[in-house]
Amino acid sequence: MTDGFEDAVRLLDPSGRLDEKAAEALDLKEDDLLELFRLMLMTRRADLESTALQRQGELAVYPPLIGQEAAQVGSAYALEPGDFAFPSYRELGAALVKGVDLVDYLHFYRGTWHGGTYDPLETRFGMVAVPIASQILHAVGYAYGSKLDGSRDVSMAYFGDGATSQGDFHEGCNFAAVFGAPVVFFCQNNQWAISVPVSKQTVAPIYRKAEAYGFPGIRVDGNDVLATYLVTRQAVQRARTEQVPTLIEAVTYRLGPHSTADDAGRYQPKEQVEQWRELDPLDRYRKFLTERGLLTEEVKKGFDEDANKLAAHIRSGIVGAPPPDPGDLFEWVFSEKTKRLEAQEKELLEEAGDQ
Amino acid sequence: MSEVTMAQALNEALRNSLRDDESVLVLGEDIGKLGGVFRITENLQEEFGPTRVFDTPLAESGIMGFSLGLALRGYRPVAEIQFDGFIYPSFNQVVSHVAKHRFRSRGRAPVPLVVRVPFAGGIGAAEHHSESPEAYFAHTAGLKVVVPATPLDAFDLLTQAIRDPDPVFFFEPKSRYWSKEDSELGADSLAMGNARVVKQGDACTLIAYGAMVPRCLETATAASEDGVEVEVIDLRSLVPFDLETCAKSVEKTGRAVVVHEAPLTAGFGAEVAASLAESAFLHLEAPILRVTGYDIPYPPAKVEEHYVPSVDRILGAIDRVLSF
């Protein structure tokens, strides 16, 4: 087994064989099992499409998530519509599951608008947060607000292995424990923070850090969508009903570069990448579903069509999309424009008008 | 009409806000049972309970990011940062998120919250307890920056800040916490964002905020004894900056001196002076001068009187602009 899976919860082994006993806790119907695959397939397709769009100059930059589809889809699928996910910047898969229009999401990467063009409150999917680990605290504050409301809403914070080095990760975990905030900390340990391997971020296993804060920490095979779903579902329920946070470390691998501006060949050992390609989350799950007779040719065809439609939707929404109106730049700095901003807006619009 | 200190006025503004708006939460370090190290939140936890008035773990970035999350959920957090010099760990949250949230979400997810910061020197405190970091925040688009100078104004401005739809950084001049004013709270409220002419004069305009406002008034009294009537403006708000009130005064006096405790270089006085030079150049009879802290770390308590602008230093600047 590839290093890093010690103590990890796993339901499907890399050949797609299910641990029937461990799977008894799963509350998924056949439709759900297929939907998880459809979402993973669409995520991969949207991710590849986004990388292609960047190569064509239609996106300014894009951070591929290839290899992390099971971690994102499995975890986000465990959320209820009212639950709020706070992403970092590699969570296109989680965005898809939360119902965010990926064109609106990708406008962040096109450079149309910081934070994309979707409504974070309506979709309950936060804006892309680039400063590492900063979004973790927002998830905790939001979760505590939900608790004060007497609501059942849970927050989920997405972050990577590198984020666990930041103070905001520590402060977020600690605040959550002290205030009993209904939040799930979902760490995708994809082994790399740009070029730095996880061994240089931390000596202790990430999931075990939870012990120091006083709540459960669980390691899961993040390339196993069923295991990821199960442990997240349990963590979400624990947050919802007991106001106990959980730290989940989903062990996975970033098969692509950090971003389209990166050259992973300079630091990722080829053998390591090959080893992880063998653990491709889609292949594993496809084998399982096929074995079970669920993934019939007809179903597969329908899913491929859905993925094609999504890719076409992304392409048509992004290619040649107009930039925002320059006047928008002054619109939402404050609730009302200050006199100073009015004067600056006038200056910009006059200059823009002259061009 | 009764005598009230700035500390009491702030306490009362928090009390009223907690009473009038159920979404208001007061949080920070030692603000619960203790009532804050300056007692600004005294008795509030007792009155409103530990759910609405609560201590946080000792972590300023945590306080800031956690408050943002609460605001996103519809609460109106009023966070206390215990001292000016402790705000820096939260800077990433402030600049990258609090200030930009409305902008980034195209107005859909604003995060109105108030951050109260006891600031500036003059109380003989230890290192990190006397700093004036307001310019960092005034330089950051999306934040309002407010500084009261009197008990009455502290009450009005904090009340307005808590109702404001934007994030407000509220700098409280701690050396004025115990200053008293005979006044009825809320009786003569001026909207946040407006400066106030606190003394009329025609020889020169002194522009200040926070604890430097009474210092300028003291200076004005001394100048008056020499037959020089200076005008004193209390800025009250750095962002938005009320240039009109300042320019109108300078058009009358032809001279301006800006006074603050923060260091000279890239301090808010530079903004005031440049703006006045742009808008009132033809009315100026002399260069605009700044009397500020020096470009040195805030000094040890035993020598801080050499750093904080004194009446003599301000009088010296008035002399220079009058004799130019």
Side-chain angles (χ1 to χ4, degrees):
Chain A
M1 189 188 280
T2 308
D3 286 345
F5 285 111
E6 298 80 9
D7 301 329
V9 175
R10 175 180 275 176
L11 299 187
L12 284 176
D13 73 15
S15 69
R17 194 174 313 116
L18 185 71
D19 180 337
E20 300 282 351
K21 192 164 174 353
E24 279 171 14
L26 274 177
D27 58 352
L28 295 172
K29 300 190 181 71
E30 283 189 358
D31 282 355
D32 294 308
L33 294 175
L34 284 172
E35 179 63 3
L36 284 171
F37 186 73
R38 193 180 76 99
L39 288 165
M40 284 165 68
L41 198 72
M42 300 225 292
T43 297
R44 175 151 302 178
R45 186 59 196 273
D47 185 60
L48 292 174
E49 189 68 25
S50 302
T51 295
L53 284 169
Q54 193 282 330
R55 296 299 182 222
Q56 292 161 32
E58 294 291 339
L59 297 179
V61 69
Y62 178 72
L65 66 86
I66 186 163
Q68 299 176 222
E69 294 87 350
Q72 293 192 18
V73 169
S75 58
Y77 201 71
L79 297 174
E80 299 291 334
D83 297 337
F84 206 124
F86 291 81
S88 67
Y89 50 78
R90 203 188 298 283
E91 272 76 55
L92 175 140
L96 175 73
V97 178
K98 281 297 281 177
V100 175
D101 185 324
L102 292 186
V103 171
D104 288 335
Y105 176 83
L106 288 167
H107 272 307
F108 176 93
Y109 294 104
R110 181 166 169 82
T112 308
W113 201 261
H114 299 322
T117 52
Y118 55 95
D119 185 333
L121 295 181
E122 201 180 281
T123 56
R124 304 247 163 163
F125 191 79
M127 293 179 286
V128 166
V130 177
I132 301 301
S134 56
Q135 74 281 6
I136 294 173
L137 283 162
H138 310 162
V140 178
Y142 188 90
Y144 187 57
S146 309
K147 179 179 169 177
L148 292 183
D149 288 345
S151 114
R152 291 168 53 80
D153 298 341
V154 168
S155 293
M156 175 118 91
Y158 281 101
F159 53 95
D161 40 296
T164 64
S165 298
Q166 290 275 3
D168 279 358
F169 163 71
H170 164 68
E171 294 184 27
C173 289
N174 191 47
F175 270 58
V178 168
F179 290 114
V183 58
V184 177
F185 300 103
F186 193 87
C187 175
Q188 293 171 81
N189 174 2
N190 69 11
Q191 315 300 325
W192 294 94
I194 304 191
S195 67
V196 177
V198 67
S199 60
K200 293 200 172 145
Q201 296 292 343
T202 179
V203 171
I206 288 169
Y207 75 103
R208 287 190 55 193
K209 293 171 192 285
E211 198 180 327
Y213 304 110
F215 52 70
I218 295 162
R219 179 178 266 173
V220 65
D221 180 343
N223 284 11
D224 172 353
V225 70
L226 295 181
T228 303
Y229 168 80
L230 178 64
V231 301
T232 313
R233 187 71 179 165
Q234 288 168 342
V236 167
Q237 291 309 103
R238 187 156 44 236
R240 204 186 304 288
T241 57
E242 301 168 44
Q243 280 85 46
V244 173
T246 303
L247 169 62
I248 297 170
E249 177 192 1
V251 179
T252 180
Y253 195 81
R254 200 192 74 207
L255 288 173
H258 161 67
S259 81
T260 45
D262 179 35
D263 175 8
R266 292 172 70 98
Y267 53 83
Q268 276 185 339
K270 272 205 185 84
E271 322 74 69
Q272 191 188 46
V273 179
E274 285 315 310
Q275 215 174 357
W276 279 92
R277 276 194 204 287
E278 297 298 311
L279 300 174
D280 187 297
L282 272 79
D283 290 348
R284 183 187 309 193
Y285 196 47
R286 188 185 288 111
K287 282 180 206 156
F288 163 75
L289 290 176
T290 309
E291 262 328 77
R292 291 259 156 156
L294 292 173
L295 199 61
T296 61
E297 280 308 314
E298 197 191 338
V299 170
K300 242 171 30 188
K301 204 175 143 206
F303 287 1
D304 284 339
E305 269 171 30
D306 286 350
N308 287 340
K309 267 189 218 157
L310 177 62
H313 170 68
I314 290 172
R315 180 159 283 276
S316 70
I318 290 295
V319 174
D325 184 339
D328 283 3
L329 297 172
F330 295 88
E331 207 56 49
W332 301 290
V333 180
F334 290 113
S335 52
E336 281 177 46
K337 271 174 232 164
T338 59
K339 285 181 185 159
R340 221 158 232 235
L341 285 176
E342 277 173 358
Q344 292 171 20
E345 181 183 23
K346 189 162 167 273
E347 184 183 326
L348 180 147
L349 292 179
E350 277 170 11
E351 190 209 335
D354 287 344
Q355 282 170 359
Chain B
M1 192 87 76
S2 61
E3 204 169 60
V4 62
T5 64
M6 183 182 282
Q8 289 166 336
L10 290 165
N11 182 262
E12 199 56 26
L14 290 170
R15 177 175 290 103
N16 288 355
S17 300
L18 280 159
R19 196 187 52 220
D20 295 348
D21 180 353
E22 279 191 356
S23 72
V24 172
L25 302 174
V26 172
L27 66 155
E29 295 159 3
D30 303 297
I31 63 96
K33 200 165 246 180
L34 182 66
V37 294
F38 289 107
R39 307 292 183 267
I40 306 302
T41 57
E42 191 157 61
N43 294 327
L44 295 179
Q45 188 176 65
E46 210 180 340
E47 286 178 52
F48 296 96
T51 302
R52 298 192 60 203
V53 180
F54 56 93
D55 289 322
T56 65
L58 212 164
E60 291 78 13
S61 186
I63 291 171
M64 204 64 72
F66 184 76
S67 293
L68 186 153
L70 283 168
L72 207 55
R73 182 73 196 185
Y75 285 90
R76 192 58 69 107
V78 183
E80 176 175 303
I81 298 293
Q82 196 161 70
F83 280 96
D84 38 57
F86 301 160
I87 200 168
Y88 310 120
S90 73
F91 205 55
N92 181 44
Q93 286 291 340
V94 175
V95 175
S96 298
H97 291 297
V98 172
K100 296 183 169 89
H101 222 270
R102 179 187 289 278
F103 182 87
R104 297 183 77 232
S105 64
R106 297 175 70 83
R108 289 156 170 155
V111 286
L113 52 86
V114 176
V115 180
R116 296 181 33 248
V117 192
F119 92 118
I123 63 163
E127 193 180 15
H128 312 297
H129 291 65
S130 301
E131 297 174 11
S132 295
E134 65 275 13
Y136 301 129
F137 301 90
H139 192 65
T140 301
L143 305 177
K144 288 180 176 166
V145 180
V146 169
V147 193
T150 67
L152 179 63
D153 225 19
F155 177 85
D156 289 339
L157 286 171
L158 184 54
T159 303
Q160 292 176 38
I162 295 171
R163 291 178 189 158
D164 199 87
D166 295 306
V168 181
F169 279 69
F170 193 87
F171 288 93
E172 302 170 358
K174 63 176 90 79
S175 66
R176 304 301 299 169
Y177 272 153
W178 305 280
S179 64
K180 289 177 183 162
E181 199 172 23
D182 263 335
S183 59
E184 197 182 325
L185 294 178
D188 179 29
S189 186
L190 174 65
M192 207 172 94
N194 291 296
R196 181 187 261 137
V197 178
V198 289
K199 186 197 167 293
Q200 303 268 353
D202 54 16
C204 167
T205 303
L206 297 182
I207 300 166
Y209 52 89
M212 290 301 99
V213 174
R215 184 63 46 90
C216 285
L217 286 170
E218 222 182 309
T219 309
T221 304
S224 186
E225 283 162 14
D226 291 336
V228 177
E229 292 303 326
V230 300
E231 185 143 302
V232 180
I233 292 178
D234 175 1
L235 274 185
R236 301 174 77 242
S237 162
L238 309 189
V239 181
F241 166 46
D242 182 359
L243 174 61
E244 288 70 21
T245 298
C246 296
K248 203 174 143 205
S249 173
V250 170
E251 284 166 19
K252 178 174 70 173
T253 63
R255 293 170 173 86
V257 175
V258 194
V259 184
H260 57 61
E261 280 188 54
L264 178 78
T265 301
F268 199 74
E271 186 55 48
V272 176
S275 301
L276 285 172
E278 284 168 1
S279 67
F281 186 72
L282 294 177
H283 298 274
L284 287 168
E285 305 286 346
I288 300 163
L289 294 186
R290 289 170 287 169
V291 181
T292 69
Y294 300 111
D295 289 339
I296 59 174
Y298 193 90
K302 296 295 183 200
V303 283
E304 68 178 329
E305 79 270 20
H306 298 298
Y307 178 87
V308 178
S310 63
V311 169
D312 282 346
R313 278 179 67 201
I314 304 169
L315 279 173
I318 293 171
D319 277 348
R320 276 181 282 150
V321 294
L322 288 178
S323 61
F324 182 79

